Amino acid sequence: MEKLSEKTLVPKYMQEYDLDEECEELLTTLPSEKCWNGIHLHQYQGFWFAPEFLQAVISCQKHFQAFDTDILLVTSPKAGTTWLKALSFALINRNKYPNIHSNHPLLTKNPHELVPFWEVDLYCNKDFVPDLKTISSPRIFSTHLSYESLPKSVKDSTCKVLYLCRDPKDVFVSFWHFISNVRSKRNGTLPLEEAFECFCRGVCPFGPFWEHVLGYWKKSLESSNKVMFLKYEEMKMKPYFYLKEIAKFLECPFSQEEESKGVVDGILNLCSFDKLSNLEVNKTEKVSFNVENKYFFRLGQIGDWKNHLTTEMIEHINSITKQKLANHGLSF
Ligand code: A3P
């Protein structure tokens, strides 16, 4: 049990965050655990959040008003958010920026700057609610929120949700590298075994991974017009096919003429790991939430888990996946 501060009766660590009273009060009532990265997570609506993200989630649930034309990109952290942002931005804006070799925003801006996160960009300030009405449509937003926790207006509107998931073994390994890189300067390396144990129990930011996937999987089966369910591995293997499928789902299909002019290939090349990771902006700059862009581009491959996990770990995580997802017709 955390020691309560005499002044505010909230645990001391919470005072480091800029939280409003409602959030502070809520946090004290929620289950809490210390996560692999030393951060306290709180379980809200079945999923685990760091305090500042919970503040943003509550604000977003309260204030976000969806338009029917909105596009929402949803992922678990490290499932390929950066790639999906780049692809969606390039796809939707292909007439506005036809020249992918010069003047395209993706050449000088990181995809996270072009498609804002609700949690880390838009609703992160407790005293400020952004006015999003003036953004030209279709607006593209991104979030790691579970389906259950999406703002009501998203569910009530006809806006579209693209959900991208990935083999949890690769998600975990990618997450471990990311957190280790981001925090290494402050706290040294993060023990892999400890992180793995937390991930498998579901206690990681925006976890549990499996329940997150399942929520969107079920919704995509129930309402295929609303939620398109994508897998990183399948997109890596058949990018041309999936980009065309995404375009159809978003009601902006490629014409025959565009295909024959190489527009699909152009977008895929522009958004490829090799292209994006070698751009100056992604090698040297930082995104708004103060993480170096280069940490969003590591390997961009399928199956790096083989280089990090022991046989026991692989069996353990595979059995969780089987137990939680197989009955629903989902596997990796
Ligand atoms: P690895 O760590 O396995 O390399 P997110 O964008 O959700 O934070 O996920 C990051 C993961 O996506 C990292 O995986 C990163 O290398 C990979 N990634 C980033 N850009 C990509 C791209 N254009 N194509 C494929 N994978 C990409």
Side-chain angles (χ1 to χ4, degrees):
M1 185 65 187
E2 284 294 315
K3 207 168 163 222
L4 297 183
S5 115
E6 282 166 25
K7 222 168 89 199
T8 62
L9 287 180
V10 297
K12 230 175 179 161
Y13 72 86
M14 275 189 212
Q15 294 168 35
E16 289 164 21
Y17 297 97
D18 198 15
L19 309 174
D20 64 19
E21 263 182 44
E22 184 189 347
C23 186
E24 277 186 354
E25 256 181 58
L26 176 66
L27 280 171
T28 57
T29 67
L30 299 176
S32 157
E33 278 210 38
K34 224 170 177 180
C35 173
W36 56 10
N37 52 5
I39 287 177
H40 290 260
L41 296 181
H42 297 263
Q43 196 179 34
Y44 175 66
Q45 298 179 334
F47 292 82
W48 292 94
F49 299 94
E52 79 267 38
F53 290 143
L54 188 71
Q55 173 76 62
V57 167
I58 291 166
S59 176
C60 173
Q61 288 179 337
K62 213 187 270 177
H63 300 291
F64 181 76
Q65 279 307 318
F67 292 173
D68 285 339
T69 48
D70 283 348
I71 297 165
L72 184 60
L73 312 181
V74 190
T75 50
S76 281
K78 304 299 127 196
T81 323
T82 316
W83 189 23
L84 188 63
K85 284 186 178 191
L87 287 171
S88 307
F89 180 88
L91 172 69
I92 291 301
N93 291 295
R94 65 189 192 269
N95 294 328
K96 194 166 169 191
Y97 305 111
N99 189 344
I100 55 159
H101 302 293
S102 65
N103 296 331
H104 197 288
L106 277 164
L107 297 172
T108 48
K109 288 191 160 83
N110 177 272
H112 293 290
E113 280 181 75
L114 299 169
V115 178
F117 271 119
W118 279 344
E119 306 85 294
V120 280
D121 296 309
L122 298 177
Y123 293 100
C124 51
N125 184 335
K126 74 173 169 53
D127 302 315
F128 175 72
V129 177
D131 179 11
L132 308 174
K133 287 196 283 298
T134 50
I135 300 177
S136 58
S137 288
R139 308 181 301 178
I140 316 179
F141 301 108
S142 158
T143 184
H144 293 316
L145 270 182
S146 69
Y147 187 78
E148 294 76 3
S149 296
L150 290 181
K152 189 171 176 302
S153 71
V154 170
K155 298 176 184 175
D156 293 344
S157 71
T158 60
C159 77
K160 303 268 188 186
V161 177
L162 282 178
Y163 184 76
L164 176 62
C165 70
R166 187 181 188 189
D167 185 328
K169 299 191 285 304
D170 274 333
V171 166
F172 167 71
V173 167
S174 181
F175 215 161
W176 177 75
H177 277 286
F178 181 77
I179 302 278
S180 301
N181 278 327
V182 170
R183 75 164 219 159
S184 62
K185 284 175 218 118
R186 284 173 280 148
N187 301 318
T189 17
L190 177 68
L192 183 96
E193 294 72 18
E194 214 178 287
F196 184 76
E197 193 267 330
C198 282
F199 185 84
C200 288
R201 283 195 299 118
V203 186
C204 63
F206 304 95
F209 170 85
W210 295 270
E211 280 72 5
H212 200 275
V213 171
L214 203 52
Y216 286 96
W217 172 246
K218 285 183 181 168
K219 194 65 205 169
S220 74
L221 296 177
E222 203 180 292
S223 185
S224 57
N225 269 346
K226 178 78 182 172
V227 178
M228 181 176 197
F229 190 93
L230 296 157
K231 287 181 180 166
Y232 180 93
E233 293 76 15
E234 291 178 349
M235 283 183 53
K236 281 289 280 188
M237 286 186 284
K238 286 163 68 179
Y240 196 97
F241 172 81
Y242 280 103
L243 184 58
K244 281 191 358 175
E245 288 300 298
I246 293 173
K248 277 191 235 161
F249 174 74
L250 297 179
E251 295 169 14
C252 57
F254 290 102
S255 64
Q256 273 301 331
E257 193 190 345
E258 283 182 305
E259 279 201 59
S260 51
K261 277 188 179 160
V263 176
V264 184
D265 281 320
I267 291 176
L268 290 172
N269 288 337
L270 175 64
C271 302
S272 68
F273 181 87
D274 285 348
K275 177 75 186 180
L276 291 182
S277 61
N278 283 306
L279 292 171
E280 202 50 31
V281 59
N282 293 325
K283 287 205 237 176
T284 55
E285 293 184 23
K286 283 185 178 181
V287 277
S288 57
F289 40 98
N290 209 21
V291 172
E292 289 180 59
N293 291 348
K294 65 180 180 195
Y295 293 137
F296 292 98
F297 305 93
R298 192 181 63 93
L299 274 183
Q301 301 285 334
I302 301 170
D304 186 41
W305 52 267
K306 293 185 191 110
N307 302 316
H308 294 84
L309 305 184
T310 63
T311 312
E312 291 76 43
M313 285 170 152
I314 295 164
E315 279 170 10
H316 183 51
I317 196 167
N318 280 348
S319 78
I320 299 173
T321 302
K322 197 168 167 203
Q323 182 218 324
K324 295 203 176 179
L325 303 183
N327 283 348
H328 300 275
L330 195 52
S331 61
F332 290 96

